[in-house]
Amino acid sequence: MMTHGLKRRTIYSAGIASLILSVSFWIPIAALAKYTPPPNPSKPKETGTNTTRGGSCEGDSASVLNALVPFSHMGQTISGHPTFTWFVPDRTSRPLQLRLFSRSGQLLYRTEMESQPGIMSVALPPNLPPLSIGQSYQWQVVLVCDRNVPSRNVVATAEIQVVQPAESLQSQLAAASTPQQRIDLYAKAGLWYDAIAEARKASETSQNQTAVLELLDSLANSEAEPLKDWSDRLRQIRAIEQQRQLPQPKP
């Protein structure tokens, strides 16, 4: 029979091992992209993650529908046809809409697709007029829970600002020879939308989401002080996506 002293030491050792594992989980395996918010960024109209009805069609979902962007400030891009990235919590595929609005609320673009669990991205089609430098826009992702009851839909809203790229950045991007170099350049310049788009593109080619996960971790760090709840949710999403990458046991 285990004595009380031995039991306490066993529990203590297990707790230390668990702590070491949880800490090591968040230590980057390499010095990858570090997102730096732009200097004097614009504030969004509404600070917060702005999701409705719990953010999921499934009551037992571990997370909620979220636009993967900074919320303490407005995320920036230098692209006239940027890529929008979000996280879908639901395991069941459902109709999903992406909408883009002008600052005044005019609908500029709308498309519908089937949702997939995890991170999704869609670029603004190149045949549309490019977004204007110096302007900000609002975009929404709508997860359709029940076509017959629109009030049940889950909506995630975010904002994006188009800025003029610095000449030095353009030269550096032209000289960059790897996707990681471009991701780093965008991230350090405070261009969140371009950094995450480049990381997503690299993950599709390599079947490895390391760059995406490290960007999410970096964004969580930068948002920790102004918006701790959002920082914690980003870490949760990162953990879910990292778990999804692990080899699944054979049936």
Side-chain angles (χ1 to χ4, degrees), residues 218-238:
S218 181
L219 179 60
N221 289 337
S222 72
E223 297 280 88
E225 185 174 340
L227 288 174
K228 186 178 183 305
D229 288 348
W230 176 225
S231 174
D232 291 344
R233 193 179 298 178
L234 282 167
R235 293 182 187 280
Q236 179 190 40
I237 292 171
R238 183 193 192 279

Side-chain angles (χ1 to χ4, degrees), residues 51-97:
T51 55
T52 62
R53 229 195 108 259
S56 171
C57 296
E58 299 174 359
D60 62 346
S61 177
S63 188
V64 300
L65 180 71
N66 274 123
L68 295 181
V69 300
F71 278 104
S72 63
H73 59 277
M74 200 179 302
Q76 293 185 353
T77 181
I78 58 174
S79 174
H81 297 88
T83 296
F84 306 96
T85 304
W86 62 91
F87 175 80
V88 176
D90 292 13
R91 296 179 295 274
T92 302
S93 181
R94 303 177 188 277
L96 184 143
Q97 299 171 3

Side-chain angles (χ1 to χ4, degrees), residues 132-222:
S132 301
I133 293 175
Q135 297 298 312
S136 56
Y137 302 82
Q138 184 184 77
W139 61 280
Q140 291 182 340
V141 177
V142 181
L143 192 59
V144 181
C145 301
D146 188 337
R147 287 189 181 274
N148 298 319
V149 187
S151 61
R152 293 196 59 222
N153 293 349
V154 178
V155 182
T157 303
E159 292 180 76
I160 182 171
Q161 185 176 41
V162 186
V163 297
Q164 178 71 47
E167 290 185 7
S168 58
L169 175 62
Q170 290 179 309
S171 300
Q172 291 173 319
L173 288 170
S177 58
T178 67
Q180 188 60 56
Q181 289 176 344
R182 290 190 290 273
I183 294 167
D184 290 339
L185 288 169
Y186 286 132
K188 291 175 183 177
L191 299 168
W192 171 257
Y193 282 89
D194 304 297
I196 192 70
E198 192 71 38
R200 285 283 291 160
K201 189 189 305 180
S203 73
E204 292 171 358
T205 302
S206 65
Q207 301 297 310
N208 187 320
Q209 283 205 98
T210 299
V212 175
L213 299 181
E214 292 301 331
L215 271 178
L216 291 180
D217 195 28
S218 181
L219 179 60
N221 289 337
S222 72

Side-chain angles (χ1 to χ4, degrees), residues 104-152:
S104 62
Q106 178 186 1
L107 180 64
L108 302 176
Y109 176 67
R110 172 178 171 171
T111 187
E112 186 166 318
M113 67 205 79
E114 290 297 308
S115 72
Q116 299 174 359
I119 298 176
M120 296 184 66
S121 294
V122 168
L124 194 66
N127 61 318
L128 293 181
L131 302 187
S132 301
I133 293 175
Q135 297 298 312
S136 56
Y137 302 82
Q138 184 184 77
W139 61 280
Q140 291 182 340
V141 177
V142 181
L143 192 59
V144 181
C145 301
D146 188 337
R147 287 189 181 274
N148 298 319
V149 187
S151 61
R152 293 196 59 222

